[in-house]
Structures are given as structure tokens and as C-alpha cells.
Amino acid sequence: GAGVSQSPSNKVTEKGKDVELRCDPISGHTALYWYRQSLGQGLEFLIYFQGNSAPDKSGLPSDRFSAERTGGSVSTLTIQRTQQEDSAVYLCASSLSSPAGVYETQYFGPGTRLLVL
Amino acid sequence: RKEVEQDPGPFNVPEGATVAFNCTYSNSASQSFFWYRQDCRKEPKLLMSVYSSGNEDGRFTAQLNRASQYISLLIRDSKLSDSATYLCVVNKRSYIPTFGRGTSLIVHP
């Protein structure tokens, strides 16, 4: 079946512009995660959605970052007034469900490579 | 001390060699453990879960040592296609896992 898809695959933007990154999770997966991976670094958690619950935004690095998930499926990560340090690969992952205390296998999308000039 | 630490490598080994990686974690309350594989410019993919009793999947063996707070991954009879970065993932009683920075493996002919 279809995996997690993300768009665009690459994005080059100028400092100060806003960008929107999209994630389509696997159908039926209620949990959705956004991560950021800078060159040679590990995955940095950004935000987590689970069903209709309020998202866990504890990993968002600044108020320039926001995300939403419409209809419990597609999610959009928005970065306002981009800075050069925002350049990274933004990865989305989904899993069947993640009740507290349980970790389900995550399936990652191919990522969006963002370059801020 | 970082929550999850890995030797970044690279581990450079010939085909057919046996290679092992360790990953240490700081929180003794950690509940579940995994190894993911990430190929260059690709997304991470689950390689295997790590159980207390140890588990094996073909040429790959994962072990958990709770007393010393580390997990290990052993790869036997290395193949060229095993070249990748191996990410250690540790999860406390939470839905947010912690990823290590990864260990790079290069298998050469």
C-alpha cells in the first residue's frame, strides 16, 4: 500500500519568506510526527498529533513554526520568516496509534529538503 | 550526558566481517528500544525492535543490557548493502521517542 508521502521533496527559499510543507500519512494511522534533521545530526522532534487530541508542540523551536492536521489526516508544517538555520530535512512519520506509554513503529516519509538562502 | 549516545563512526569493515555497535541511554525508566536504518539521503526505516531476551533476524542480532543501560546491534557476514547509518531509538513511557545521532557503517569489497 501507499506509504507516507511528503511534498515538496525539495524547497529553496529566500530568508524571510514563509514556507509550507505537506505530509500525507498512511491511511488509518492516527499518530503523526514531524521531525527535523540537520546535516550530520540526529532527528529532532518538532510536533506530535494523535487523533483529535491537542497536539504536543513541545519540540517546536520558535513561534515561527506551526503545524496543523486537518480531518485527522493530512498535516501541514508552516515556517514563517525563514532563517538560514532552518535549512534541514523535515521528516514526517505516522504510526497506527501512540497511547501514552506505548511506542508503535513509525513509518517515515521521504522528507522535504529545505534550503534557506 | 545526552539521553541517547552513539559512536558516530564511521565503522569501515570489509565484506564478510562481523561488526557491532553500542548505544547508551541515560534514563533508567526507558521502556522500549529499536534500531532504525537510514540510507544516505533517505528516510529512516525500522530495522528491528530490541527485547530484553535479545532477538535475532537473519544476520542481525540485537541485545539489551538494562543494568548497564545500553543496547547493541551485531551484524554478521557484512554485505555491501549494509552500508548505512544505524539509528538507536529509545522510548520512555511516552509517545515521543528519542533518536540517537546514528552510527555510520561502510562495508567495502
Side-chain angles (χ1 to χ4, degrees):
Chain A
V4 178
S5 61
Q6 292 186 245
S7 61
S9 53
N10 293 280
K11 176 73 176 178
V12 180
T13 190
E14 293 179 349
K15 178 181 171 181
K17 295 286 179 76
D18 297 352
V19 296
E20 264 190 13
L21 313 180
R22 177 188 168 107
C23 171
D24 274 280
I26 292 172
S27 177
H29 281 193
T30 58
L32 187 148
Y33 300 75
W34 281 99
Y35 295 91
R36 177 169 71 175
Q37 187 173 33
S38 302
L39 190 63
Q41 303 296 311
L43 273 70
E44 175 189 4
F45 166 76
L46 298 177
I47 188 169
Y48 163 79
F49 295 90
Q50 169 59 31
N52 296 319
S53 303
D56 182 332
K57 305 178 183 180
S58 60
L60 294 178
S62 77
D63 59 7
R64 296 187 295 105
F65 288 73
S66 63
E68 61 178 24
R69 189 178 184 191
T70 53
S73 181
V74 172
S75 177
T76 303
L77 176 69
T78 301
I79 308 173
Q80 296 177 309
R81 305 180 302 282
T82 52
Q83 304 294 313
Q84 288 181 331
E85 60 262 29
D86 298 335
S87 296
V89 177
Y90 289 82
L91 289 159
C92 173
S94 71
S95 63
L96 274 172
S97 66
S98 292
V102 177
Y103 175 68
E104 298 277 354
T105 300
Q106 294 182 326
Y107 297 85
F108 284 83
T112 294
R113 283 167 181 75
L114 175 66
L115 177 61
V116 182
L117 301 177
Chain B
R1 182 181 174 185
K2 291 180 182 172
E3 283 193 67
V4 178
E5 291 200 68
Q6 294 183 254
D7 180 345
F11 285 65
N12 208 316
V13 303
E15 272 187 291
T18 295
V19 61
F21 315 131
N22 281 347
C23 165
T24 58
Y25 59 95
S26 60
N27 193 319
S28 60
S30 297
Q31 295 279 319
S32 49
F33 310 86
F34 305 85
W35 285 102
Y36 276 71
R37 170 192 170 131
Q38 186 172 27
D39 291 294
C40 188
R41 298 181 66 83
K42 297 286 189 182
E43 71 273 21
K45 293 183 179 178
L46 179 68
L47 179 64
M48 58 198 306
S49 304
V50 188
Y51 304 116
S52 297
S53 55
N55 48 302
E56 188 173 311
D57 183 2
R59 298 181 292 107
F60 298 82
T61 300
Q63 295 275 358
L64 166 64
N65 185 318
R66 285 193 182 273
S68 300
Q69 293 183 205
Y70 73 87
I71 65 172
S72 64
L73 178 68
L74 180 78
I75 305 174
R76 290 181 298 278
D77 188 23
S78 300
K79 310 291 184 191
L80 295 177
S81 57
D82 294 334
S83 298
T85 296
Y86 292 83
L87 305 173
C88 166
V89 182
V90 175
N91 192 49
K92 303 188 293 287
R93 283 183 58 84
S94 162
Y95 43 73
I96 302 175
T98 301
F99 284 76
R101 288 191 174 188
T103 296
S104 174
L105 172 66
I106 300 171
V107 182
H108 59 81

